[in-house]
Amino acid sequence: MNQSISPFMLGGTLYMPALREDIAEAIVHNKIPGLRSLVICLEDAVTDRDVPLALQKLGTLLTYIAEEKRNGNGKGWPLVFIRPRSVEMARELVSSCDLSAVNGFVLAKFTQASLAAWWDVLAPTKLLLMPTLETREVYDVGQMTALAEALMCHPCHSRILALRIGGNDLMSVIGMRRPRSMTLYEGPLGYVIKMLVSVFAPRGFYLTAPVCELIDNPAILQKELELDVAHGLVGKTAIHPGQLEAIYHAFMVEPDDYEDAVHILTSVKAVFKSQGAMCEPATHSMWATAILERAQHMGIKTPNDMDNVLIVARQ
């Protein structure tokens, strides 16, 4: 993996249809406050008839942002990813577009069967990969275990920034939609997220949280974010800029967790008490390391006023 880019830098990853006219402003001129990563989507967000226009607009955009970056204007930009709708489209983009200002591709409908085709296209590039788990195979723990094992042994392993959980597509597989009054964790995806964490996290992969499409229900978003963090997810898909602040704040580190993490990684004791809880470096060191990395990129909440945040400058 490109060591200068951490999964903890993703924050709220905003999906933007490739047809939008304001993507360049969002990237180059920081039009959207708090935007840390974005995905330019050519898949579900673009109808079949609009694909040629979307590709044309994307090509123009990529040329522009590449030139801006060559001119030294890339500091402070959000991470930029492209989501092609197929391997064939990815091949077209790699062969015909200037991708020098792009950090990676989001691989739609990713499965073990499609791994070889995706890698054939992307292996010659330096692009990071974010495969999206959003097909019927994701409900099968056996197939997910096989996929995780395959990815561990594959040369693409070092290029996988994170695996994205496609919540809406996974609900569509079983003909359901999230109830407006519930988080995803209160329905069938609660099992799926837990299973994916248990399969992929022990093998060293990071997972991002599905979108909360209830744009006008901040209470559900907040509750869901608390569960995202509790499950060890590293970021969350956003579909509206208004969700970014809540996502950013949720992934900041609690001061107590930060203090425990520092003590765990510096203590010479095998077991000790900190803030009313047992700390055991032998078993808590991986957690502590992740906490410090998250704090480095997302910041630490202030202890007295959670609306005033200690912001760590973007790398």
Side-chain angles (χ1 to χ4, degrees):
M1 183 186 299
N2 185 334
Q3 295 301 315
S4 66
I5 298 180
S6 164
F8 293 102
M9 296 171 67
L10 290 168
T13 302
L14 184 65
Y15 273 58
M16 302 182 74
L19 290 167
R20 286 187 57 153
E21 302 287 347
D22 58 347
I23 300 177
E25 290 291 311
I27 296 171
V28 178
H29 300 297
N30 296 310
K31 177 185 177 182
I32 303 175
L35 181 62
R36 288 172 164 256
S37 60
L38 65 89
V39 174
I40 303 169
C41 187
L42 289 151
E43 200 218 2
D44 294 339
V46 177
T47 63
D48 290 344
R49 69 174 182 273
D50 287 332
V51 167
L53 178 60
L55 287 170
Q56 178 186 339
K57 286 181 175 294
L58 178 61
T60 302
L61 170 70
L62 294 175
T63 300
Y64 171 68
I65 63 174
E67 184 64 26
E68 287 290 311
K69 189 170 183 178
R70 281 192 290 271
N71 291 335
N73 299 326
K75 187 176 181 180
W77 285 9
L79 300 175
V80 178
F81 298 88
I82 297 173
R83 176 176 168 139
R85 66 200 293 133
S86 65
V87 173
E88 291 72 24
M89 181 181 285
R91 192 182 305 276
E92 179 181 350
L93 294 173
V94 168
S95 64
S96 63
C97 294
D98 187 339
L99 301 173
S100 59
V102 175
N103 298 102
F105 274 19
V106 172
L107 313 184
K109 309 294 189 292
F110 184 81
T111 65
Q112 188 174 354
S114 67
L115 171 58
W118 280 112
W119 187 239
D120 180 62
V121 173
L122 297 172
T125 75
K126 296 182 179 180
L127 295 168
L128 293 172
L129 314 179
M130 288 205 290
T132 306
L133 306 176
E134 54 187 346
T135 63
R136 63 184 299 175
E137 290 88 348
V138 179
Y139 284 92
D140 186 329
V141 64
Q143 293 200 50
M144 289 301 96
T145 301
L147 174 59
E149 292 290 338
L151 292 176
M152 285 185 68
C153 303
H154 197 276
C156 74
H157 185 202
S158 63
R159 300 255 296 273
I160 296 177
L161 182 63
L163 297 160
R164 307 196 70 82
I165 303 174
N168 283 334
D169 281 274
L170 288 172
M171 291 294 279
S172 176
V173 167
I174 56 176
M176 295 185 66
R177 183 183 182 186
R178 167 221 299 266
R180 292 180 179 272
S181 60
M182 295 182 181
T183 69
L184 279 176
Y185 291 90
E186 296 169 272
L189 279 204
Y191 153 76
V192 175
I193 294 171
K194 288 176 169 60
M195 179 267 287
L196 292 175
V197 169
S198 69
V199 168
F200 286 97
R203 293 172 171 85
F205 294 99
Y206 293 93
L207 293 155
T208 66
V211 69
C212 179
E213 73 274 22
L214 304 176
I215 299 171
D216 296 328
N217 194 330
I220 291 292
L221 173 61
Q222 184 60 42
K223 184 178 179 182
E224 191 162 292
L225 281 164
E226 292 172 2
L227 292 166
D228 292 335
V229 174
H231 283 75
L233 306 182
V234 297
K236 190 172 183 70
T237 300
I239 54 172
H240 191 278
Q243 297 178 322
L244 294 176
E245 183 178 357
I247 295 172
Y248 175 77
H249 188 264
F251 282 97
M252 296 181 76
V253 172
E254 297 287 348
D256 290 350
D257 286 344
Y258 183 82
E259 183 176 338
D260 279 352
V262 171
H263 289 162
I264 287 166
L265 294 177
T266 58
S267 177
V268 297
K269 297 180 180 180
V271 182
F272 61 92
K273 179 181 177 180
S274 176
Q275 304 179 93
M278 182 193 78
C279 293
E280 189 175 19
T283 57
H284 295 153
S285 60
M286 286 183 61
W287 169 86
T289 300
I291 286 291
L292 295 189
E293 185 175 356
R294 179 151 63 96
Q296 177 187 352
H297 296 295
M298 298 302 290
I300 307 167
K301 297 177 184 177
T302 59
N304 298 319
D305 183 358
M306 291 308 173
D307 292 326
N308 297 322
V309 295
L310 172 64
I311 299 179
V312 177
R314 283 190 286 191
Q315 301 298 309

